[in-house]
Amino acid sequence: MDVYIERENGSITLEEWLEYVNLDGELTLSETAEATNPITKSVLRIHIKGRTLWKDYEINYRNGRIGSEDGSDEILEKLKQIAQALSAEVFDCGEKIK
């Protein structure tokens, strides 16, 4: 994840994340990701615990962190909102964002 939320004093649990997702009306839990093989046209489905969609962005939970591969200003603002609610900090490629 390029941009992510993390706590300095401990991990964010999957349960905490799922509880937040249920309370935030802008987030949609979507734990199944799909991709189509361009050669065989077969569809690959994978289950990703804590995978969430917001607008056109994917926000994932991984090892106590919540984040996205997209580093746009829009997703950074959403991650800041989530971080504040979860008493955490936002990082971009390992550097804390204020």
Side-chain angles (χ1 to χ4, degrees), residues 6-69:
E6 181 177 53
R7 284 192 186 127
E8 289 186 32
N9 61 351
S11 296
I12 300 166
T13 67
L14 178 60
E15 291 75 23
E16 285 178 287
W17 172 233
L18 295 176
E19 183 178 316
Y20 179 84
V21 170
N22 285 330
L23 295 174
D24 186 323
E26 295 182 333
L27 297 175
T28 303
L29 189 63
S30 181
E31 293 184 317
T32 302
E34 291 186 359
T36 302
N37 182 313
I39 298 168
T40 66
K41 306 298 182 209
S42 63
V43 176
L44 172 67
R45 289 182 184 84
I46 186 168
H47 182 79
I48 305 168
K49 287 185 179 186
R51 178 179 178 265
T52 305
L53 301 177
W54 175 69
K55 297 186 179 185
D56 290 330
Y57 302 102
E58 185 175 319
I59 301 173
N60 290 300
Y61 175 87
R62 190 176 317 137
N63 299 324
R65 293 179 174 172
I66 298 160
S68 175
E69 299 301 324

